[in-house]
Amino acid sequence: MKELIFATNNRHKIQEVSALLEGVVNIRSLEEMGLAGDIPETADTLQGNALQKATWVWERTGKPCFADDTGLEVDALDGAPGVYSARYAGEHCTFDDNVNKLLNALEGKTNRRADFRTVICLIENGEHRFFEGRVDGQILTERYGKEGFGYDPIFMPDRFAVSFAEMPLDVKNRISHRGRAVAKLVEYLKK
Ligand code: IMP
């Protein structure tokens, strides 16, 4: 089976994406490839960051690889935190810090519409290709659930009455931004 290196140090993402790519490709982690260190993501678009992360691995291995970049875009905040979702509450902040900052920023606001958008960049033979996925929903007023990571406890996707953090992984994967982007990647890889 084909092998693809996933350019991430986030174990939650590896778990999510591995479940989706099972039987299609073998995922190799950075650790397995002996690649350590922080991958730079300094672009100001999701596409730019996904390309930057995948290129970092491609330049070091010359092997097929992909990266994803995700942003949470909140309507009442004009699309923030968007591409800055990881460092919303500061350079070395935690998921919890980010969630607290967002809950504070939306305090008293009635418009809580938001979406998650993921862009995946695949590099094979030095050529890159993008795949995008999106899910719409709203930001809850407090945390619900223990599953997942990041903003999952405060994001409730449309047509569901629970947060991403209250869903089993297979349900989140079926409807999420990353799940939808990976589905497009799978369709391409199967061709
Ligand atoms: P990244 O740059 O793609 O790692 O994503 C930016 C930030 O978005 C992460 O640090 C998380 O806080 C958040 N994020 C990414 N994917 C998800 C998700 O599936 N659920 C909740 N938060 C996410």
Side-chain angles (χ1 to χ4, degrees):
M1 213 185 316
K2 192 188 247 183
E3 292 197 345
L4 280 183
I5 306 168
F6 187 9
T8 185
N9 288 310
N10 181 328
R11 66 182 174 83
H12 299 279
K13 286 188 182 180
I14 294 179
Q15 195 191 4
E16 283 186 15
V17 171
S18 298
L20 289 161
L21 290 179
E22 212 179 315
V24 182
V25 288
N26 279 328
I27 297 277
R28 293 270 164 260
S29 67
L30 295 180
E31 208 178 352
E32 283 174 281
M33 303 309 295
L35 290 174
D38 277 346
I39 311 177
E41 44 176 305
T42 53
D44 57 9
T45 60
L46 298 178
Q47 277 207 347
N49 274 339
L51 176 62
Q52 190 180 24
K53 290 190 261 189
T55 302
W56 188 90
V57 173
W58 171 257
E59 285 174 350
R60 283 158 181 78
T61 64
K63 296 202 160 103
C65 55
F66 70 101
D68 84 318
D69 201 56
T70 296
L72 174 62
E73 302 169 322
V74 179
D75 288 8
L77 304 177
D78 296 325
V83 70
Y84 305 108
S85 295
R87 287 153 287 147
Y88 183 44
E91 204 45 52
H92 300 291
C93 64
T94 63
F95 289 148
D96 246 9
D97 298 335
N98 284 333
V99 166
N100 287 336
K101 179 163 177 185
L102 185 55
L103 288 176
N104 286 335
L106 289 183
E107 207 168 309
K109 296 235 193 302
T110 48
N111 178 6
R112 305 188 71 94
R113 300 291 307 158
D115 64 80
F116 269 118
R117 209 154 53 81
T118 289
V119 175
I120 288 177
C121 177
L122 169 72
I123 304 186
E124 285 182 308
N125 306 315
E127 285 180 15
H128 68 264
R129 211 171 272 275
F130 293 108
F131 306 88
E132 190 172 323
R134 171 185 169 138
V135 61
D136 290 280
Q138 50 187 307
I139 304 298
L140 299 164
T141 52
E142 57 183 287
R143 292 168 171 82
Y144 291 92
K146 296 272 174 243
E147 303 299 320
F149 67 101
Y151 299 92
D152 279 348
I154 55 165
F155 184 84
M156 183 171 75
D158 287 347
R159 290 179 293 282
F160 284 79
V162 291
S163 78
F164 267 164
E166 293 178 289
M167 293 179 178
L169 181 63
D170 61 318
V171 179
K172 179 185 173 192
N173 263 349
R174 229 176 12 245
I175 57 161
S176 79
H177 45 301
R178 190 170 301 98
R180 287 176 172 156
V182 173
K184 290 181 186 166
L185 171 68
V186 168
E187 204 178 303
Y188 170 77
L189 292 170
K190 280 184 169 169
K191 271 192 198 143

